[in-house]
Structure formats: structure tokens, C-alpha cells
């Protein structure tokens, strides 16, 4: 195989061994080209799908990067210009990303920056705003103060300290009695799923339920397709989920995102100005009652 040419300095890149994967590294500038999945493997500071989360909010990047635009070095991409994306959508670490092959180019030091930044992020914890039982189910509301919360694949909450700008995200969780399925993750952010599918990032774990309307509305990932299809073979459950957008739930003023994971259903809304709250027991938006009903359907 012909070596890749470094997108930065055009030198032939070397195949080098990182602990458990092989990547392309430039001997001159130290830049690294990573195929889909390899960035996740190299990031040590945090578990979860860092690539997915970084691609989750492309419109946040404003084009300011100290590095020039780069072209993808993969032969099949024919010099396709890479895009700039922010690590986890809110960050100073900016990667080059190819939307054809799903690869990333990291300048020297960017991987170390990434790990440092992620370590800082995980230190910022949410506080528990509400924790109680509604219709017998554990319900929790977390307020992430001074933070922008990214709700990501794997259910990873990623609060990011914003400095001067105080902001709160509301995150409502309704728990199952028992975990449902291995590594289940269902998300209402379907536009992102289509995009990730188109570049091959979701191929491994994307599960089609076999009902066109449902598959068009949700991304479903997980380790046990049989079990997951069985759960969503229930028409009443699918109908309830399909009504999520139509119901236009608002704890405050912005539409939020819905996720279903092994242990809980999560609804995330915001960021809002500091001090934003929601009365879980009165539930004026009806979202808590709806999620409790959904949880019961999922377990029946
Ligand atoms: Zn180079
Ligand atoms: Zn490419």
C-alpha cells in the first residue's frame, strides 16, 4: 500500500503502532491521520463516542482556526477538502475532518490537548436538582450550572465550563427498573444519524427496527440487535415515541432532545440563563408523565 501523504507538509506518512491500533503519522510534522473509530481508541481521558459528539453540532464552528484548510490524504477521497470541527462541539481544540471517509487529521499536540481538555471537563459535575419517585419510578432532574451540556452517544453528559457565560441545561431522567439491553442508545437527532451514516461512521452499530417511519425518525445503536428489535416490535411503544416531536414538550422555551439508554430515558433542554428550574412534580409541560408512561411501555 502506498503511504498516505501528510495533509500538512505532503511528506509520506509512516504506519505506526499506538497501544492497540495502527495509525498514520507524519515523520516531519508529527501530524496524525485517523480512520473512523481511531480517535475514540486514542482518547484516554474519557470513555464514550468522542467522534460522534464532536460531529453532533457542526453549526457551532465559526471557522476560526490557527491551521489552514487541509485536503484528505486518502486516495479514495481525491484531495477532498476537510472540514474544521470542534472537539465535543464546544472547545478550543479543532480537528480537520473528512466527510467522505470519516477520517480525522490531528496536528501535533492536538491529541494531548484533547486529553487535557477532557480531564478538565469531567471534573465539572452537575448537582442533583430533583430526585424522587413518580408513579413508582425514580425520576431525576439535573441542572448543569455554568455549563453547556452535550448529550451524546452513550449517554455521556459533557459539561463544559464556559467562563463568563453562566448557563444551565436541564436534564430529566426517568429510570427503568432493570437495565434494558446491552449498550442501547436511541436518539431523536435523526438528521445527524443520516449524516453519520452517509460517511460510514454509524455503520457498525446502527440498528434498523424494520418500521420505515420509526427508522426514519430515530437512530438506534446497541450491542444486541435481536433484543433491541424485540423491544421496538411493540407498536404502541413505537407510536408513543413517534409522537415525541409532535407533542412539542418544553420545560422552558427550547425544544430538547430525547435519548433512551440501558438504564433510563433522558430528555435534555437548554442551555438557558442561570437559575432556570422546572417543577418536576407539578410537571406543567407533561414531559415527566409522558416519559414515565414510555418507560412502562419499554418494560412491558
Ligand atoms: Zn506532516
Ligand atoms: Zn477522506
Amino acid at each position: 500500500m502506498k503511504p498516505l501523504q501528510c495533509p500538512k507538509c505532503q511528506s509520506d506518512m509512516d504506519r505506526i503502532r499506538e497501544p492497540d491500533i495502527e495509525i498514520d503519522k507524519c515523520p516531519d510534522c508529527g501530524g496524525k491521520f485517523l480512520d473512523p473509530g481511531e480517535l475514540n481508541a486514542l482518547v484516554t481521558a474519557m470513555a464514550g463516542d468522542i467522534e460522534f459528539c464532536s460531529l453532533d453540532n457542526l453549526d457551532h464552528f465559526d471557522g476560526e482556526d490557527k491551521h489552514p484548510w487541509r485536503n484528505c490524504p486518502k486516495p479514495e477521497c481525491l484531495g477532498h477538502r476537510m472540514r474544521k470541527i470542534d472537539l465535543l462541539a464546544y472547545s478550543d481544540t479543532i480537528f480537520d475532518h473528512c466527510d467522505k471517509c470519516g477520517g480525522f487529521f490531528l496536528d501535533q499536540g492536538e491529541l494531548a490537548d484533547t486529553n487535557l481538555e477532557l480531564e478538565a471537563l469531567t471534573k465539572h459535575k452537575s448537582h442533583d436538582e430533583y430526585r424522587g419517585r413518580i408513579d413508582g419510578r425514580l425520576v431525576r432532574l439535573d441542572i448543569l450550572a455554568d455549563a453547556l451540556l452535550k448529550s451524546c452517544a452513550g449517554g455521556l453528559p459533557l459539561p463544559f465550563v464556559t467562563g463568563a457565560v453562566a448557563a444551565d441545561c436541564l436534564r430529566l431522567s426517568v429510570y427503568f427498573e432493570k437495565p434494558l439491553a446491552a449498550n442501547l442508545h436511541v436518539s431523536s437527532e435523526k438528521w445527524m444519524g443520516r449524516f453519520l451514516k452517509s460517511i460510514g461512521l454509524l455503520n457498525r452499530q446502527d440498528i434498523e427496527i424494520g418500521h420505515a417511519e420509526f427508522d426514519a425518525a430515530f437512530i438506534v445503536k446497541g450491542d444486541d440487535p435481536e433484543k433491541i428489535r424485540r423491544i421496538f416490535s411493540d407498536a404502541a411503544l413505537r407510536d408513543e415515541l413517534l409522537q415525541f416531536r409532535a407533542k412539542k414538550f418544553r420545560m422552558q422555551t427550547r425544544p430538547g432532545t430525547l435519548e433512551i439508554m440501558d438504564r433510563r430515558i433522558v430528555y435534555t433542554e437548554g442551555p438557558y440563563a442561570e437559575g432556570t428550574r422546572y417543577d418536576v412534580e407539578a410537571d406543567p409541560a407533561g414531559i415527566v408523565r409522558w416519559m414515565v408512561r414510555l418507560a412502562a411501555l419499554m418494560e412491558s
Side-chain angles (χ1 to χ4, degrees), residues 13-240:
M13 298 179 94
D14 297 328
R15 294 291 290 170
I16 63 147
R17 233 180 135 82
E18 289 286 338
D20 44 6
I21 51 167
E22 231 181 43
I23 61 161
D24 298 281
K25 183 176 180 185
C26 175
D28 294 325
C29 70
K32 291 173 177 167
F33 186 82
L34 306 174
D35 292 321
E38 291 181 341
L39 176 60
N40 280 342
L42 291 178
V43 165
T44 53
M46 184 185 270
D49 197 335
I50 305 299
E51 295 175 19
F52 182 98
C53 297
S54 297
L55 294 166
D56 195 20
N57 253 317
L58 289 170
D59 51 341
H60 279 272
F61 179 68
D62 62 7
E64 291 291 322
D65 183 19
K66 58 183 192 271
H67 303 297
W69 295 98
R70 307 250 154 84
N71 295 330
C72 181
K74 285 280 187 189
E76 65 267 31
C77 297
L78 297 166
H80 185 65
R81 190 166 97 157
M82 301 178 87
R83 294 173 314 179
K84 303 285 184 187
I85 62 163
D86 295 348
L87 165 70
L88 302 175
Y90 302 98
S91 143
D92 293 332
T93 304
I94 293 160
F95 302 138
D96 298 279
H97 175 257
C98 176
D99 61 359
K100 283 200 163 175
C101 66
F104 291 86
F105 180 73
L106 274 59
D107 288 275
Q108 181 161 41
E110 283 183 336
L111 188 62
D113 290 350
T114 299
N115 278 318
L116 282 176
E117 217 162 325
L118 291 174
E119 270 168 30
L121 287 177
T122 47
K123 283 194 191 106
H124 194 85
K125 294 270 172 15
S126 72
H127 66 269
D128 222 7
E129 175 67 14
Y130 173 89
R131 189 186 176 95
R133 291 208 165 246
I134 293 181
D135 288 347
R137 274 178 198 283
L138 178 61
V139 175
R140 235 177 78 189
L141 179 68
D142 294 307
I143 311 274
L144 289 134
D146 294 331
L148 288 176
L149 174 128
K150 284 291 299 141
S151 176
C152 287
L156 201 63
L158 300 173
F160 183 68
V161 184
T162 57
V165 185
D168 282 349
C169 276
L170 303 174
R171 191 178 50 165
L172 187 62
S173 304
V174 173
Y175 284 77
F176 299 119
E177 297 297 322
K178 275 189 233 132
L180 287 179
N183 242 334
L184 176 67
H185 187 262
V186 178
S187 164
S188 62
E189 295 301 288
K190 188 63 185 182
W191 65 272
M192 182 48 60
R194 277 197 296 273
F195 164 73
L196 289 173
K197 255 188 229 173
S198 74
I199 61 170
L201 266 189
L202 270 187
N203 283 352
R204 257 179 325 178
Q205 295 166 295
D206 200 8
I207 297 164
E208 301 270 307
I209 299 304
H211 292 266
E213 200 190 346
F214 187 87
D215 285 332
F218 292 94
I219 314 165
V220 181
K221 304 197 332 171
D223 291 344
D224 190 345
E226 291 282 296
K227 187 169 179 188
I228 290 167
R229 285 198 191 95
R230 211 157 48 234
I231 292 172
F232 292 103
S233 66
D234 177 8
L237 169 64
R238 289 197 309 271
D239 287 349
E240 201 65 56

